[in-house]
Amino acid sequence: MGGEDARLRAVVSLAQAMAAAHTPPETWRAAALGACEALGGSFAALSVWERGPGRLRVLVNAGERAEGEDEFPDDETYPVHQFPEITEFLHERWAGGGEPDAWVETADGPAGAADAEDAALPGMAVAGAHGYGGVYRHQRVAALRRRGRGCCVVAPIVLHGRAWGELYVARPVGAPVFGREDADFATVLAAVVAAGISQTERLEEVRKLAFTDPLTGLANRRAVDARLDEAVERHRADGSVVSLVVCDLNGLKGVNDTLGHAVGDRLLERFGSVLSRCGAMLSDALAARLGGDEFCLLALGPEADEVIEVATELCDRAAELEHGDGVACGIASTGDPIGPVTSARRLFRLADAAQYRAKAARSPKPVVAGRDGEVIRLADSPPKSAHDRRRLRGSRP
């Protein structure tokens, strides 16, 4: 009874840890560490099955990692065709009905493989060097040995009725080999992991909808609000340069009125692509659509002159679009003489005022706050309400 209680507590602990995670990497790490502890392993990994290239891609390595194993590897993949047992358990057995079972692999050499299978209880899959897989099985056995692991249990993860990937937990050489009960428990843990991953994917989708403009795919006003607040705080803390480019797409109303809103939407999408490409020239930049014909580019780190150069190219490319009449750009940067910037609101108002001047003068180039002898007179007064703080544009000067 004590063992059952311990495993129940382990399941609850795993579910709670995954529920507390805020990002996919945190979720993957919580899943691997929780399963590793629940099964008494020393190492665990979580992998996703990428159907297109036909491979397993490792998302996280947790626990006692061997040399060359990164916690979050950039490109650790394994072709599925090298592991027939994966195909068997994720396709054939699963297609036969019910949940796919976990299986055990051991680092026993050819001499020990039969012993491992003889020791297995009925209904449990154990693969040694002479199991299915031929030469590839020897590669898996060699990998266990090379990394000082004596055995592992592998549990397929099923999400939304489809094979998603696998949970892998290993024990070191000399530790007890996983048994049938361990394999059954790993199947339960894989189901808990699947539920946690599903929850994370739903939350990510909600976050994406909350911070993304649906037409252009760029960030939206809410995302800019959050990032700009963080950038100004960083500027106040260490002097990092924060630059904001505010853009107004000229001629959109005329396009909508004469050619229709579908053509107007395509113009917005194309300008959004131009803005995104130009933003990629700056490190740590955020391209966003604020709404209607208003866009912005937020950069943290690059010098003001670099941002101006990119904004100039943005104006040139916008002028080449098939419809519309180019773009009016205003720039405000803490790298220019604009006075102390202690709030996101002040920086945005300065950039907005510069954009307004560019639009009024029909300037083909960006207008930059604080340059050309301009005297900055905008007060850095706090917003009057929480609602006002969330509004970036503020009133026209």
Side-chain angles (χ1 to χ4, degrees):
M1 188 68 178
E4 292 180 1
D5 289 343
R7 289 196 160 175
L8 179 59
R9 288 194 297 271
V11 168
V12 173
S13 178
L14 172 61
Q16 290 176 336
M18 295 188 70
H22 298 292
T23 64
E26 289 178 1
T27 300
W28 305 335
R29 187 173 185 272
L33 287 175
C36 187
E37 182 177 355
L39 285 163
S42 59
F43 170 85
L46 189 69
S47 303
V48 63
W49 181 20
E50 296 181 332
R51 284 177 168 77
R55 64 187 182 184
L56 284 170
R57 178 167 62 87
V58 178
L59 300 174
V60 63
N61 291 311
E64 298 176 8
R65 303 194 302 274
E67 184 178 355
E69 287 181 328
D70 297 326
E71 183 175 22
F72 296 103
D74 292 329
D75 191 26
E76 183 180 349
T77 61
Y78 301 95
V80 174
H81 75 267
Q82 292 187 3
F83 311 118
E85 77 278 8
I86 294 176
T87 302
E88 177 181 355
F89 279 85
L90 293 187
H91 290 280
E92 297 175 10
R93 293 195 179 193
W94 184 32
E99 291 295 316
D101 298 320
W103 68 90
V104 172
E105 297 175 352
T106 74
D108 292 333
D115 296 336
E117 293 196 17
D118 289 343
L121 296 174
M124 175 182 137
V126 177
H130 280 330
Y132 34 74
V135 64
Y136 298 120
R137 169 60 49 215
H138 284 280
Q139 292 178 3
R140 290 290 287 264
V141 169
L144 281 171
R145 290 174 174 170
R146 185 172 63 252
R147 292 164 178 166
R149 295 164 189 152
C151 64
C152 66
V153 59
V154 183
I157 297 173
V158 176
L159 193 62
H160 309 311
R162 301 182 69 188
W164 184 89
E166 70 172 30
L167 176 67
Y168 173 103
V169 179
R171 287 175 177 170
V173 172
V177 174
F178 288 110
R180 187 183 69 182
E181 290 186 355
D182 294 314
D184 290 342
F185 187 43
T187 301
V188 173
L189 294 175
V192 176
V193 168
I197 291 171
S198 178
Q199 178 190 36
T200 300
E201 289 184 349
R202 287 195 297 270
L203 290 175
E204 283 298 298
E205 185 63 25
V206 170
R207 291 190 187 102
K208 182 178 178 180
L209 292 173
F211 292 98
T212 304
D213 174 61
L215 177 63
T216 63
L218 300 177
N220 63 9
R221 182 187 296 260
R222 185 180 291 108
V224 174
D225 195 0
R227 182 75 70 87
L228 187 55
D229 282 338
E230 293 172 0
V232 171
E233 286 301 314
R234 174 84 173 272
H235 165 70
R236 295 176 65 186
D238 60 15
S240 297
V241 176
V242 182
S243 302
L244 186 66
V245 182
V246 175
C247 309
D248 195 292
L249 189 58
N250 295 325
L252 178 63
K253 184 178 185 303
V255 171
N256 286 335
D257 290 345
T258 59
L259 301 175
H261 286 272
V263 177
D265 285 349
R266 286 200 297 273
L267 175 60
L268 290 168
E269 291 173 335
R270 287 168 183 165
F271 178 72
S273 297
V274 170
L275 181 66
S276 180
R277 289 197 299 271
C278 289
M281 301 176 188
L282 299 168
S283 60
D284 199 22
L286 179 70
R289 181 187 178 205
L290 301 174
D293 57 2
E294 298 172 345
F295 294 77
C296 80
L297 191 62
L298 171 62
L300 174 63
E303 296 298 325
D305 286 343
E306 186 179 351
V307 176
I308 294 169
E309 182 179 349
V310 170
T312 300
E313 181 166 349
L314 172 64
C315 290
D316 292 341
R317 292 189 181 189
E320 297 172 356
L321 292 174
E322 181 181 1
H323 300 293
D325 191 21
V327 65
C329 277
I331 304 175
S333 174
T334 60
D336 281 329
I338 59 174
V341 174
T342 58
S343 72
R345 178 181 174 81
R346 175 176 171 80
L347 190 67
F348 203 97
R349 290 183 67 198
L350 289 170
D352 194 38
Q355 181 273 129
Y356 187 75
R357 293 197 301 276
K359 196 173 188 70
R362 302 184 66 84
S363 173
K365 303 296 181 184
V367 171
V368 185
R371 298 202 175 189
D372 299 326
E374 178 193 9
V375 178
I376 302 297
R377 300 184 184 279
L378 290 179
D380 192 12
S381 57
K384 296 179 180 180
S385 67
H387 174 73
D388 197 28
R389 282 197 300 270
R390 289 194 294 268
R391 294 186 59 195
L392 289 176
R393 290 194 64 81
S395 59
R396 293 287 189 185

